[in-house]
């Protein structure tokens, strides 16, 4: 079957992976991508190869503000866009786009069907916006965004000192790229139905808010339900304990749910703990928890890691994985078996986004360099004169308006991904057990609220034939079904693709598993610390692990710091891929009239989040290591203590480095003033300097500097009332939108059963038979 994006032309003007990763995926799925690279030197294969370069015609251009050929190069780019492009993706600032005539008002006036996607670090509506790419300077490093949004405070405790810690893994770049991709694909779906194109905006800033699961929610409570504990003292929950084995190697446990913890204790030979009346007590007996922790850790130190993994793999019900680097992950059996480590071009690199049964992607070839004067593109469009109409100003709808998603998923990764589809205009119906998604019982339900905005919930017993019939009826009228069941469960519940597609041939059936469906871990459970350990992100954040067996107290301190390094990333990393893959499947269905199975897994999604090092071109890791104090990668990419507070310095350009030193004299002088003083002095002159300490993300996004960035927005839920929620993952200036708050368990049960034509008497019988819960939400 033809690739889903075959025949489409994408024009990219960028030098950043935030734009490049989005267009790389488009190239993998058949699009012709023409990449106008500014500020570069035409990097080629070998040591300079990066995965986000692949699949493109690379055309070096000059777009710097003081460059003589900048305008003529921009004119040539504009001509190619207007005559040839379906999609335009750029990381240039809105101001620079307007100066070059590459902004939406200019392009949209002549091509109102054009998909116009902008991606940036901060957007253009806050004090950090002057750092935006201008054609000479590229996008700021993600480190500045992480500092500005309080993310570096979330890692406090990884270092053996108080204060912010350098955020090493570029998860915000991954998120911004996937948000860009999902928006572009959604616009292409809307175009299939006759809609015009529109301007969309994604930022690393918005993407990083997805990693805040509780702080915004807690901020709305009169009193926090969480005890005040120093970040330098927070220990892992027992279910997520990292352990050192007899050979000095480290293993991450990830048995979050009670039945998984039972599986682990039984498989590890610790079943007697289950008989202790203090085990599992709510609220927990802290002394007992520490006694259990010591028992687990000391017991795990009696055998080698390989011996334990053989036991756990044979059991099939234990979530655990060795810690490894990203380069080691390229050889991981599950990564290889599921196609996330591709060798089709003679070296190992990141695979395609997911497994699409009918419209598979193929890893594209390395880039081909083309001179601007030699670039020839097929002319597919006849641009309008700019004054013939104002179609570029006509209000649009959100691109997934009219799409219905049914989600049967628990905890974080898939539910949060489904909420991102709601951000794009889709209707999302959540199927929950009668007593709700288990996540609603964790962290006081605050995390579940984060993952379930803009949804309708139906509480349903899917173990009953009647409940399965209701679920099947709902999916029969949907466009997408998303689940995170382990292999075999959908078949038992009557929610497998074969069953559902008989009633709905256009259905996109998306399965998000832990390890994938092809490798040795295919039946094993996975929770978010597992892919964090397995894909190399946590080791990059933490640094080198001790390999000599440690005494218990030393081991406990290392495990505490590992927990801080691993606790915030892997689930939302997966959510972004769930959203973009679902929209890719929808586009294929819009084009062909046929649905398909789409298979994703947390390992593959987290390979994408570790994109910067997920290739082996023979020169080892591409990552610059952090210093021992977890402050950064070098003097111009580092956290600095000031007289009061911490300052993140990120200045990559040699000329700007000279300007920085002229301003501050020396890095030692930073101690003479407060961090806020330096930020206020250096930011206005375009130097990357941002205060990094203070509040964490959920509080920071409510501060005045982000008031116009829509990172935290008020909602008025039609049933549940008012509150604050996180903003959407992308902005749509031409579309009106009303963001709603989180659903509650079963809040739409009655309304949805009415839609299916059930009477009050039938609903009452289903309620009495414990098939549904019809909650009184009035």
């Amino acid at each position: 079957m033809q690739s889903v994006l075959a025949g489409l032309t994408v024009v990219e003007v960028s030098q950043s992976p935030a734009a490049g990763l989005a267009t790389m995926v488009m190239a993998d799925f058949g699009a012709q991508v023409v990449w106008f690279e500014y500020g570069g030197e035409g990097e080629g294969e070998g040591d300079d190869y990066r995965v986000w370069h692949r699949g493109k015609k690379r055309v070096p251009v000059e777009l710097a503000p003081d460059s003589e050929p900048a305008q003529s190069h921009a004119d040539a780019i504009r001509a190619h866009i207007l005559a040839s492009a379906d999609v335009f993706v750029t990381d240039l600032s809105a101001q620079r786009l307007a100066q070059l005539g590459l902004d939406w008002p200019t392009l949209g006036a002549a091509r109102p069907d054009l998909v116009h996607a902008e991606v940036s670090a901060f957007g253009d509506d806050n004090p950090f916006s002057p750092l935006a790419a201008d054609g000479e300077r590229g996008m700021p490093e993600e480190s500045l965004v992480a500092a500005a949004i309080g993310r570096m405070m979330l890692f406090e405790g990884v270092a053996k000192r108080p204060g912010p810690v350098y955020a090493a893994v570029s998860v915000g770049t991954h998120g911004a790229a996937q948000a860009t991709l999902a928006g572009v694909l959604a616009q292409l779906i809307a175009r299939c139905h006759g809609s015009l194109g529109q301007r969309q905006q994604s930022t690393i800033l918005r993407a990083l808010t997805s990693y805040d699961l509780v702080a915004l929610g807690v901020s709305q409570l009169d009193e926090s339900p969480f005890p005040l504990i120093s970040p330098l003292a927070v220990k892992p929950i027992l279910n997520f304990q990292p352990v050192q084995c007899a050979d000095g190697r480290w293993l991450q446990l990830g048995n979050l749910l009670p039945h998984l913890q039972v599986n682990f204790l039984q498989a590890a030979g610790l079943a007697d703990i289950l008989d202790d009346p203090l085990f599992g007590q709510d609220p927990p007996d802290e002394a007992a928890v520490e006694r259990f922790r010591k028992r687990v850790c000391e017991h795990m130190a009696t055998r080698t890691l390989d011996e334990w993994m053989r036991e756990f793999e044979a059991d099939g019900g234990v979530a655990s994985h060795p810690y490894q680097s990203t380069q080691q992950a390229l050889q991981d059996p599950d990564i290889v078996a599921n196609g996330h480590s591709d060798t089709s071009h003679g070296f190992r690199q990141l695979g395609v986004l997911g497994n699409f049964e009918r419209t598979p992607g193929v890893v594209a070839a390395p880039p081909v360099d083309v001179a601007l004067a030699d670039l020839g593109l097929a002319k597919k469009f006849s641009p309008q004169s700019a004054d013939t109409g104002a179609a570029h100003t006509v209000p649009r709808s959100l691109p997934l308006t009219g799409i219905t998603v049914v989600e049967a998923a628990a905890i974080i990764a898939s539910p949060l991904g489904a909420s991102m589809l709601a951000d794009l205009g889709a209707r999302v119906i959540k199927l929950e057990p009668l007593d709700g998604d288990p996540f609603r019982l964790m962290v006081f339900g605050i995390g579940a609220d984060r993952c379930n905005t803009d949804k309708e919930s139906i509480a349903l017993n899917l173990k009953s034939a009647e409940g399965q019939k209701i679920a099947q009826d709902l999916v029969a009228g949907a466009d997408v079904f998303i689940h995170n069941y382990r292999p075999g469960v959908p078949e038992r519940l009557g929610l497998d693709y074969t069953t559902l597609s008989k009633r709905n041939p256009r259905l996109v059936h998306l399965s998000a598993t832990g390890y994938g469906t092809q490798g040795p871990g295919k039946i094993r459970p996975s929770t978010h610390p597992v892919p964090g350990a397995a894909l190399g992100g946590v080791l990059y954040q933490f640094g080198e692990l001790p390999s000599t067996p440690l005494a218990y107290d030393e081991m406990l301190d290392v495990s505490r710091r590992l927990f801080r390094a691993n606790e915030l990333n892997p689930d939302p990393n997966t959510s972004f891929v769930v959203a973009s893959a679902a929209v890719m499947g929808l586009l294929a269905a819009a084009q062909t009239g046929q649905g398909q199975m789409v298979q994703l897994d947390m390992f593959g999604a987290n390979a994408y989040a570790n994109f910067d090092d997920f290739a082996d071109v023979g020169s080892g890791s591409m990552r610059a290591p952090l210093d021992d104090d977890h402050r950064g990668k070098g003097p111009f990419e580092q956290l600095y203590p000031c007289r009061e507070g911490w300052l993140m310095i990120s200045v990559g350009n040699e000329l700007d480095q000279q300007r920085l030193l002229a301003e501050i004299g020396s890095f030692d002088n930073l101690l003479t003033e407060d961090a806020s003083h330096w930020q206020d002095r250096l930011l206005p002159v375009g130097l990357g300097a941002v205060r990094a300490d203070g509040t964490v993300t959920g509080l920071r996004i409510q501060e005045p500097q982000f008031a116009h960035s829509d990172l935290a927005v008020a909602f008025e839920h039609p049933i549940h009332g008012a509150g604050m929620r996180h903003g959407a993952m992308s902005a749509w200036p031409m579309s009106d939108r009303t963001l709603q708050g989180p659903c509650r368990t079963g809040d739409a049960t009655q309304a949805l059963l009415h839609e299916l034509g059930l009477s009050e008497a039938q609903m009452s019988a289903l309620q009495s038979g414990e098939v549904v819960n019809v909650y009184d939400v009035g």
Side-chain angles (χ1 to χ4, degrees):
M1 180 172 285
Q2 189 179 45
S3 298
V4 65
L5 298 181
L8 266 73
T9 299
V10 178
V11 168
E12 173 190 350
V13 177
S14 87
Q15 62 167 233
S16 72
L21 283 166
T23 56
M24 177 207 80
V25 176
M26 295 181 219
D28 285 350
F29 284 84
Q32 176 180 226
V33 180
V34 183
W35 172 28
F36 295 97
E37 182 190 23
Y38 64 84
E41 298 178 356
E43 298 170 316
E45 277 191 74
D47 292 349
D48 293 322
Y49 176 82
R50 299 291 185 266
V51 294
W52 61 89
H53 296 173
R54 75 186 186 213
K56 303 175 185 181
K57 292 182 178 180
R58 176 168 46 196
V59 185
V61 291
E62 292 286 346
L63 296 177
D66 297 328
S67 171
E68 183 176 339
Q71 195 56 59
S72 63
H73 284 193
D75 292 344
I77 294 169
R78 183 170 58 256
H80 283 300
I81 292 171
L82 295 179
S84 306
D86 299 274
V87 177
F88 173 45
V89 178
T90 183
D91 65 3
L92 287 173
S93 70
Q95 180 182 22
R96 188 60 181 148
L97 289 172
Q99 292 168 349
L100 295 171
L102 299 175
D103 55 316
W104 168 256
T106 300
L107 298 176
R111 284 282 313 284
D113 62 322
L114 180 70
V115 175
H116 189 286
E118 301 168 28
V119 59
S120 64
F122 288 102
D124 55 9
D125 49 19
N126 56 68
F128 310 99
S129 301
L131 296 174
D134 64 3
E136 178 178 26
R137 177 183 63 210
M139 277 176 55
E141 291 292 324
E142 182 174 324
S143 57
L144 290 175
V145 190
I149 205 172
R151 178 170 169 79
M152 290 188 175
M153 292 303 299
L154 295 172
F155 290 105
E156 185 176 21
V158 175
K160 298 179 179 180
R161 55 160 177 82
V165 165
Y166 186 88
V169 185
S170 299
V171 296
T173 302
H174 159 70
Q178 295 293 332
T180 299
L181 173 65
V184 166
L185 298 174
Q187 285 206 59
L188 293 172
I189 294 168
R191 281 205 336 182
C192 289
H193 300 304
S195 296
L196 297 172
Q198 58 180 305
R199 181 189 185 198
Q200 65 179 69
Q201 298 168 296
S202 303
T203 64
I204 295 174
L205 189 69
R206 283 178 178 266
L208 284 180
T209 65
S210 68
Y211 297 87
D212 171 47
L213 294 179
V214 299
L216 179 60
V218 169
S219 74
Q220 298 173 67
L221 304 177
D222 293 334
E223 184 177 345
S224 171
F226 299 103
L228 289 175
I229 304 175
S230 167
L232 276 67
V234 174
K235 296 175 184 175
I237 63 171
L238 184 60
N239 309 56
F240 284 173
Q241 179 67 43
V243 294
Q244 189 181 35
C245 302
D247 53 358
R249 297 167 66 196
W250 291 79
L251 186 67
Q252 174 65 59
L253 304 176
N255 299 287
L256 177 63
L257 298 176
H259 74 279
L260 296 180
Q261 186 71 341
V262 170
N263 291 347
F264 160 68
L265 292 172
Q266 291 176 335
L270 294 168
D272 61 289
I273 290 178
L274 299 172
D275 298 326
D276 191 312
L278 295 179
F279 179 76
Q281 182 173 292
D282 188 20
D285 182 302
E286 294 300 332
V289 169
E290 292 312 306
R291 178 162 50 84
F292 298 142
R293 187 191 310 278
K294 186 173 184 181
R295 176 88 187 283
V296 166
C297 291
E298 291 181 342
H299 183 67
M300 294 299 294
T302 63
R303 301 174 70 179
T304 68
L305 183 145
D306 289 340
E307 289 173 332
W308 282 123
M309 285 303 299
R310 282 194 291 271
E311 292 282 350
F312 298 154
E313 287 170 352
D315 178 270
V318 178
S320 62
H321 204 282
Y323 282 89
Q324 57 192 17
S325 70
T326 298
Q327 290 290 300
Q328 290 170 327
L330 281 161
Q331 304 275 0
D332 184 282
D334 286 291
I335 288 290
V336 173
N338 287 284
H340 306 314
S341 179
D342 180 86
T343 58
S344 59
H345 295 286
F347 58 96
R348 286 198 177 275
Q349 63 173 317
L350 184 66
V352 294
L353 187 71
N355 181 3
F356 292 74
E357 184 182 49
R358 291 186 184 274
T359 58
V362 177
V363 170
V368 176
D369 292 319
V370 180
L372 181 60
D374 297 331
L375 180 64
L377 293 177
K379 293 179 171 56
K380 301 192 294 183
F381 303 99
S382 299
Q384 305 172 5
S385 298
D387 58 357
T388 60
H392 69 290
T393 65
V394 174
R396 272 51 162 186
S397 298
L398 289 172
L400 291 188
T401 299
I403 295 293
T404 298
V405 178
V406 174
E407 168 219 314
I411 315 294
I412 300 170
S414 294
L416 183 57
S419 77
M420 293 175 183
L421 300 179
D423 289 346
L424 294 171
R427 181 191 190 190
V428 181
I429 298 168
K430 182 178 181 68
L431 308 184
E432 300 194 60
L434 296 183
D435 53 356
D437 181 336
F439 199 34
R440 295 189 184 277
L441 301 177
M442 304 175 194
V443 290
F444 305 94
I446 297 169
D449 284 353
R450 172 69 181 98
C451 296
N452 290 302
T453 50
D454 261 329
K455 297 180 185 178
E456 305 161 51
S457 168
I458 179 169
L460 201 58
N461 178 6
L462 288 176
K463 295 180 181 179
S464 68
E466 299 95 329
Q468 292 173 15
K469 172 67 165 53
I470 292 168
Q472 291 166 359
D473 289 345
L474 288 170
V475 177
D479 301 280
V480 183
F481 176 62
I482 296 173
H483 73 84
N484 62 357
Y485 297 125
R486 289 166 68 184
V489 175
E491 289 76 10
R492 293 200 298 272
L493 300 179
L495 296 175
D496 56 294
Y497 177 69
T498 300
T499 299
L500 296 175
S501 63
K502 289 177 182 177
R503 294 186 60 186
N504 186 352
R506 294 177 60 96
L507 181 69
V508 177
H509 187 281
L510 191 152
S511 165
T513 57
Y515 283 81
T517 61
Q518 301 303 312
K522 62 185 178 182
I523 65 167
R524 299 183 63 216
S526 175
T527 51
H528 80 266
V530 168
L535 273 299
V538 65
L539 280 191
Y540 188 33
Q541 182 65 65
F542 179 87
E544 187 174 352
L545 279 166
S547 57
T548 301
L550 302 176
Y552 176 69
D553 287 347
E554 295 175 297
M555 190 283 305
L556 190 60
D557 185 64
V558 171
S559 75
R560 175 192 65 77
R561 294 167 55 223
L562 273 175
F563 171 75
R564 297 295 288 180
N566 196 17
E567 190 59 14
L568 299 163
N569 293 339
D571 266 324
N573 288 343
T574 306
S575 304
F576 281 109
V577 176
V578 167
S580 54
V583 186
M584 183 78 80
L586 281 168
L587 178 58
Q591 292 173 339
T592 66
Q594 290 185 301
Q596 63 182 308
M597 286 185 63
V598 179
Q599 294 177 330
L600 306 175
D601 57 77
M602 294 185 74
F603 272 38
N606 279 272
Y608 266 73
N610 286 278
F611 65 89
D612 59 310
D613 202 31
F614 221 79
D616 180 5
V617 294
S619 55
S621 176
M622 303 177 188
R623 287 173 162 168
L626 304 191
D627 66 284
D628 292 341
D629 202 31
H630 296 82
R631 288 169 52 183
K633 303 177 184 179
F636 293 99
E637 181 67 21
Q638 186 167 302
L639 285 160
Y640 286 95
C642 300
R643 183 175 65 184
E644 192 273 324
W646 287 78
L647 189 73
M648 179 65 215
I649 294 285
S650 178
V651 180
N653 178 280
E654 186 175 343
L655 181 60
D656 284 342
Q657 291 173 359
Q658 294 171 3
R659 291 175 53 221
L660 172 69
L661 292 176
E663 289 284 343
I664 66 174
S666 71
F667 291 114
D668 290 341
N669 286 342
L670 294 174
L671 286 166
T672 65
E673 299 284 354
D674 295 349
S676 296
H677 164 86
W678 292 117
Q679 175 180 302
D680 293 345
R681 177 172 168 179
L682 299 173
L683 266 183
V685 295
L687 294 171
V690 174
R691 182 162 186 166
D693 60 319
T695 54
V696 295
T697 302
L699 300 176
R700 188 75 60 86
I701 61 178
Q702 301 177 67
E703 294 177 359
Q705 65 263 35
F706 296 123
H708 301 293
S709 299
D710 289 333
L711 304 181
V713 297
F715 69 82
E716 184 72 40
H717 195 284
I719 297 174
H720 309 305
M724 293 289 294
R725 56 156 284 178
H726 295 83
M729 288 297 100
S730 50
W732 299 84
M734 303 178 71
S735 297
D736 290 334
R737 71 189 316 160
T738 301
L739 297 176
Q740 294 185 3
C743 63
R744 303 295 180 209
T745 303
D747 62 6
T749 299
Q750 189 170 21
L752 289 167
L753 293 178
H754 271 306
E755 284 187 31
L756 295 177
L758 276 70
S759 68
E760 296 291 341
Q762 289 172 310
M763 280 190 268
S764 179
L766 290 170
Q767 174 94 344
S768 299
E770 297 186 342
V771 175
V772 302
N773 256 340
V774 182
Y775 288 92
D776 180 8
V777 295

